[in-house]
């Protein structure tokens, strides 16, 4: 019984990482980061034991990318994308509308937790 | 500030505390050793025990030996059964004798069998298993001598023997019984041989696998299990296990200890001269067992190699087939992609063509309208309606914003033909389907294109004159016109300025 929290969190963490990767791809990932590097939207987990059970933190990476696709961006200036002497000029980007991607991950996580805990406890009781 | 992109999950186990408390309480209970005092009258129980004790004493004094006498006399139903068995044995012998006569000339010295067709069912004993098949077979072939003859030949009988069989078709039933019995026996032996062959191959495959993986103990066990008879024989011949193993597995072609074994045999013969034949026979039998094991080993390895080769051939064939299938699928994908690309390109061209056509019509109308204005003739209501209709055509092809279109039509009503023309040109220029089209109107009306290093003046004819000055770097070799147009667009739009 004492092993239930950790084992459940391992299962949940794996699934949530898959969900995050799926939602990230759906939101347009990989985004283009600095120096045009691919910025994949995924998540990593950090499971720690405590006196009374275990804790798990699912952190979305890259955080900036997740914020953009979740809440959108305000209008801002960006560099021109063309090469040449006019490269340093800026243009006005109108901003983007958020797609609530991370909130969808949270919503799916809350449903998943209940199902996973029920299944694991049933296994122990049986 | 945006919220954190993280989910914190906390799982606490509160049930274990409760369960631990219960478990501790159970432990405490188990450690207790409670004493329970029970008050009861045991007088009846003591009496009962005394009775049991006395009866046990009586039994102890009796003779418990059971005498059973078996007699060798048989009578009654058992005697009948024995008599039937004797009869059965006799008939079996007769059937065997008559089978031996099959193939002889009918009416020859031995007389040959002349049994009726229904005599098949009487066959018992060694042919008992075949009698069912014989009946079925006989039902089909009864009276068909030529078929019987062919069948006999197929079963391996010589033509003479088959002809003899056909000649005995007066007693066709027995003939068919004989053929059917042979058939049944042949099938049974074939199945046994196939099973034995499969067993040998399986054992050999296990042995080879064990050798491949270096599992010496398993390999040794496997070889002992497979060729136990050979090792028993070697033991009788006083041959070493190692020598026999190497001989069986083909590592040597002679058994090193065989000379010593022959010497031992000669010693035995000398010591037991009266049993020379028996000893020699035993020696040969045991040596044959080892030879059989060696041949079996080599045959099995050869069969395995053939099987492996066939498997490799089949696998290779399947792989090649899969490759061909993959290639076909890829080719189909490429074809589909090419078709899609072609369709998209055609759609794009069609859109561009429509756009160009609409723009040409509008250009003609505007030219006419400007000529009319310059000549002082003015434009009729039909001319204005025509221009409006063509503006709508261009706007539709360019997917222009309806609010902008309404504004442009209003300009036409107000007589601002230059402004309307500038709007149409902007739609044409920003049109998503227009990739390589040149701005014909602008090109026709531009008076001059400057040389590199000089100021370029772009003038929209018919519109209020607006000069846009753009300096290109010295030595610039690019498209000066495109550079000027792009610069104008960056600075707010050439035609936007013209419309102000």
């Amino acid at each position: 019984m004492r092993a239930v929290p950790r084992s459940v969190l391992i299962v949940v963490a794996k699934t949530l990482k898959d969900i995050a990767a799926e939602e990230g791809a759906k939101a347009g990932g990989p985004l283009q980061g600095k120096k045009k590097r691919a910025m994949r939207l995924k998540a990593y987990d950090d499971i720690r034991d405590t006196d009374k059970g275990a804790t798990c933190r699912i952190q979305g990476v890259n955080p900036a990318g997740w914020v953009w696709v979740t809440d959108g961006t305000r209008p801002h200036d960006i560099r021109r994308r063309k090469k040449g002497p006019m490269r340093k000029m800026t243009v006005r980007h109108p901003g983007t509308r958020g797609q609530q991607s991370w909130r969808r991950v949270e919503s799916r996580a809350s449903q998943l937790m209940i199902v996973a805990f029920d299944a694991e406890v049933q296994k122990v009781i049986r | 500030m945006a919220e954190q992109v993280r989910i914190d999950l906390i799982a606490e186990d509160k049930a274990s505390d409760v369960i631990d408390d219960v478990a501790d309480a159970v432990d405490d209970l188990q450690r207790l050793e409670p004493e329970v005092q029970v008050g009861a009258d045991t007088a009846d129980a003591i009496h009962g025990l005394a009775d049991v004790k006395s009866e046990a004493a009586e039994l102890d004094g009796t003779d418990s030996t059971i005498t059973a006498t078996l007699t060798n006399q048989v009578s009654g139903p058992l005697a009948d059964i024995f008599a039937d068995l004797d009869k059965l044995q006799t008939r079996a012998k007769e059937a065997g004798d008559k089978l031996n006569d099959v193939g002889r000339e009918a009416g020859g010295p031995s007389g040959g069998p002349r049994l009726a067709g229904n005599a098949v069912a009487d066959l018992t004993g060694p042919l008992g298993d075949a009698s069912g098949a014989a009946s079925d077979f006989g039902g089909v072939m009864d009276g068909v001598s030529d078929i019987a003859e062919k069948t006999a030949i197929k079963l391996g009988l010589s033509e003479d023997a088959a002809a003899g069989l056909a000649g005995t078709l007066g007693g066709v039933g027995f003939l068919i019984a004989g053929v059917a019995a042979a058939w049944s026996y042949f099938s049974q032996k074939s199945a046994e041989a196939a099973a034995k062959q499969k067993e040998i191959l399986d054992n050999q495959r296990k042995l080879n696998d064990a050798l491949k993986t270096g599992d010496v103990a398993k390999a040794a066990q496997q070889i002992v299990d497979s060729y136990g008879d050979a090792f028993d024989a070697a033991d009788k011949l006083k041959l070493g296990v190692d020598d026999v193993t190497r001989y069986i597995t083909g590592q040597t072609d002679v058994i090193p200890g065989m000379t010593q074994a022959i010497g031992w045999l000669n010693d035995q013969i000398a010591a037991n001269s009266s049993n020379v034949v028996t000893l020699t026979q035993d020696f040969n039998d045991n040596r044959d067992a080892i030879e059989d094991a060696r041949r079996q080993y080599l045959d099995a390895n050869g069969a395995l190699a053939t099987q492996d080769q066939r498997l490799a051939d089949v696998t290779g064939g399947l792989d090649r087939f899969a490759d061909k299938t993959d290639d076909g699928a890829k080719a189909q994908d490429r074809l589909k992609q090419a078709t899609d690309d072609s369709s998209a390109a055609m759609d794009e061209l069609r859109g561009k063509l429509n756009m160009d056509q609409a723009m040409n019509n509008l250009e003609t109308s505007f030219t006419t309208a400007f000529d009319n204005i310059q000549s002082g003739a003015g434009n009729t209501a039909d001319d204005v309606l025509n221009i409006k209709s063509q503006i709508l055509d261009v706007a539709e092809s360019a997917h222009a914003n309806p609010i902008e279109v309404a504004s442009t039509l209003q300009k036409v009503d107000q007589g601002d033909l230059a402004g309307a023309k500038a709007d149409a040109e902007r739609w044409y220029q920003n049109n998503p389907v227009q990739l390589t089209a040149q701005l014909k109107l602008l090109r026709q009306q531009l008076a001059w294109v400057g040389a590199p290093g000089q100021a370029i003046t772009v003038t929209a004819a018919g519109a209020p004159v607006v000069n846009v000055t753009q300096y290109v770097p010295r030595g610039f070799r690019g498209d000066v016109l495109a550079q000027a147009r792009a610069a104008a667009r960056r600075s707010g739009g050439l035609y936007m300025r013209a419309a102000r």
Side-chain angles (χ1 to χ4, degrees), chain B residues 287-455:
Chain B
R287 195 178 57 183
D288 288 347
I290 297 172
E291 292 287 347
D292 285 345
R294 175 185 171 83
R295 194 174 56 253
Q296 220 173 58
Y297 180 90
L298 296 177
D299 289 348
N301 266 337
L304 280 180
T306 306
Q307 279 187 1
D308 289 346
Q309 183 58 42
R310 284 176 184 164
L311 188 62
D313 291 345
V314 171
T315 307
L318 286 175
D319 284 346
R320 285 193 294 279
F321 179 72
D323 289 345
K324 294 286 183 195
T325 309
D326 283 350
D327 291 345
K330 284 175 185 169
Q332 282 187 345
D333 280 348
R334 284 198 297 275
L335 181 62
K336 184 176 180 303
Q337 184 65 38
T339 307
D340 290 346
D341 291 347
S342 172
S343 298
M346 293 301 283
D347 288 345
E348 196 169 293
L349 284 174
R350 194 174 295 116
K352 179 181 176 302
L353 188 65
N354 292 339
M355 181 80 173
D356 286 346
Q357 183 63 42
M359 201 65 198
N360 281 334
N361 294 339
L362 183 60
E363 179 190 358
T364 309
S365 297
F366 269 127
T367 306
T368 308
F370 285 135
D371 289 345
N372 290 339
I373 290 171
Q374 286 175 358
S375 65
N379 291 310
T380 63
D382 286 342
D383 292 337
V384 173
L385 280 177
N386 190 31
I387 288 173
K388 280 185 176 180
S389 171
Q390 286 164 354
I391 286 175
L392 283 174
D393 288 344
V394 173
E396 186 181 2
S397 298
H399 304 294
N401 187 334
I403 297 172
E404 287 182 323
V405 177
S407 169
T408 305
L409 294 178
Q410 204 172 5
K411 286 178 186 173
V412 176
D413 288 338
Q414 292 168 356
D416 185 7
L417 292 181
K421 183 182 169 190
D423 285 351
E425 287 169 348
R426 192 178 73 249
W427 299 335
Y428 181 76
Q429 199 173 34
N430 296 335
N431 176 30
V433 301
Q434 192 253 348
L435 299 176
T436 58
Q438 300 298 318
L439 190 57
K440 294 182 184 174
L441 284 173
L442 186 60
R443 183 167 283 174
Q444 285 176 358
Q445 292 168 3
L446 277 177
W448 172 85
V449 176
Q454 295 182 353

Side-chain angles (χ1 to χ4, degrees), chain B residues 43-77:
Chain B
D44 290 343
I46 291 170
H47 276 299
L49 283 173
D51 291 344
V52 170
K53 193 175 178 182
S54 65
E55 286 176 6
E58 286 175 11
L59 283 173
D60 199 29
T62 58
D63 182 5
S64 61
T65 306
I66 298 172
T67 304
T69 306
L70 291 176
T71 61
N72 199 22
Q73 292 179 348
V74 184
S75 62

